[in-house]
Structure formats: C-alpha cells, structure tokens
Amino acid sequence: ASGEAVTLVDTSSVFSDRDLDASYDEAAATRIELSDAGSTSTGTGVTISGSTITITEEGVYIVSGTLADGQIVVDAAEDAKVQIVLDGADITSSDAAAIYVVSADKVFVTLAEGSSNSLAVTGSFAATDDGNTVDGAIFSKADLTIQGEGALSVVCAAGHGIVSKDELTITGGTIS
C-alpha cells in the first residue's frame, strides 16, 4: 500500500563475496567436453570412467557438451572449493544425480553468461549412498552455490530438482 516503508535485506551477512562473484579465469580453467562417444578433459583434477566424470581437486572446471546417460561427480578434499562452469552442458542420467557432490568444502555451479544448460534424471534413483538418499538432479553433501548469468533447466522424474544436505545458495541465473 502507498506510504508503507520498504525494508531491504542486507545480503552482506548472508552471502560470501564468492557467492556473489561468478567470475572465473577461463585461461587457467580445466575444460571438460562431454560426449557419449567419450568425454575428454584438459588439465588435472579430472578422471573419466565411461560416462562418469569425477572431479577430484579444487579448481575451476568449464563443462560443455552432451551426455545422454552419465553424470559429473565431485569427490574432492573436505577443504576443496570447486567451481563447475556450465557453458552449454546437457547432462541426462537414467538413475543417478546428473551432478553429485560426494565431498568438498563448497561447490559453485556457475551458469556461463548467455549459456543454456540442462540437467535431467529420467528414471528412478538407484541406491548409491549409505546414509543419504540421492534423489535430485543436483545432489550435494557439501555447501552448494548456484550463480551466474546463464540459464539452467532441471528435470527430475522421481525426486527433487536441486538438493543440498548442507547450505544451498542461489545468487544468479535463470533456473527452471
């Protein structure tokens, strides 16, 4: 109504500087190109086994391409900060999270400016983890921040879209 005071929330105590800063050094980043014929990676900190791409070290990883049935797993040290930049990435999984964070301090999913990205789970989830039901297209056991200026479509046939067992922060992007 007219004449009512508007109070703005001070986000400085809620978000870290890095939550709000979706920038990254593209030249220093490790690139991951997804492909059903065989995904590839430049740099260190990535292992590829079939259609499972595992990030094992702190760093920035730029992901593009398509996986018809696969996933990205983050299994890094408990103090690792991992930034996954989705830049035209399309990951579908039949029975597991498209992005599964097993271990890290914090994972930043950055939606590259102008990019369209898609994460989907098409079926029921297979039992993969003791103590947690992994039931989201993005499932994180660590702090998770979604940021950036791109778009992300999340579809999950049986479960949730985005799940974090720790903090979940969304500071940017167009998410559907």
Side-chain angles (χ1 to χ4, degrees), residues 108-142:
F108 301 86
V109 175
T110 304
L111 307 173
E113 186 173 353
S115 70
S116 292
N117 305 281
S118 172
L119 302 174
V121 179
T122 58
S124 298
F125 289 92
T128 57
D129 191 358
D130 44 287
N132 287 299
T133 302
V134 178
D135 60 354
I138 301 176
F139 188 93
S140 179
K141 292 167 70 175

Side-chain angles (χ1 to χ4, degrees), residues 53-68:
I53 293 83
T54 304
I55 296 171
T56 59
E57 296 177 11
E58 180 167 302
V60 177
Y61 301 85
I62 300 174
V63 180
S64 58
T66 301
L67 277 181

Side-chain angles (χ1 to χ4, degrees), residues 12-33:
S12 65
S13 63
V14 178
F15 303 122
S16 73
D17 289 344
R18 189 156 181 199
D19 286 336
L20 298 170
D21 180 8
S23 66
Y24 52 94
D25 183 352
E26 191 171 340
T30 296
R31 293 192 169 273
I32 300 170
E33 180 65 33

Side-chain angles (χ1 to χ4, degrees), residues 9-157:
V9 175
D10 178 12
T11 60
S12 65
S13 63
V14 178
F15 303 122
S16 73
D17 289 344
R18 189 156 181 199
D19 286 336
L20 298 170
D21 180 8
S23 66
Y24 52 94
D25 183 352
E26 191 171 340
T30 296
R31 293 192 169 273
I32 300 170
E33 180 65 33
L34 304 174
S35 172
D36 293 327
S39 298
T40 59
S41 171
T42 64
T44 61
V46 177
T47 60
I48 299 172
S49 177
S51 61
T52 300
I53 293 83
T54 304
I55 296 171
T56 59
E57 296 177 11
E58 180 167 302
V60 177
Y61 301 85
I62 300 174
V63 180
S64 58
T66 301
L67 277 181
D69 191 7
Q71 76 177 158
I72 293 177
V73 175
V74 177
D75 196 357
E78 291 290 331
D79 62 349
K81 292 186 178 11
V82 174
Q83 185 174 11
I84 300 171
V85 179
L86 298 180
D87 190 5
D90 183 357
I91 304 170
T92 300
S93 176
S94 60
D95 62 359
I99 296 179
Y100 178 28
V101 179
V102 177
S103 177
D105 176 42
K106 191 164 195 171
V107 173
F108 301 86
V109 175
T110 304
L111 307 173
E113 186 173 353
S115 70
S116 292
N117 305 281
S118 172
L119 302 174
V121 179
T122 58
S124 298
F125 289 92
T128 57
D129 191 358
D130 44 287
N132 287 299
T133 302
V134 178
D135 60 354
I138 301 176
F139 188 93
S140 179
K141 292 167 70 175
D143 291 345
L144 177 66
T145 295
I146 299 174
Q147 59 182 199
E149 300 299 321
L152 176 63
S153 170
V154 180
V155 176
C156 192

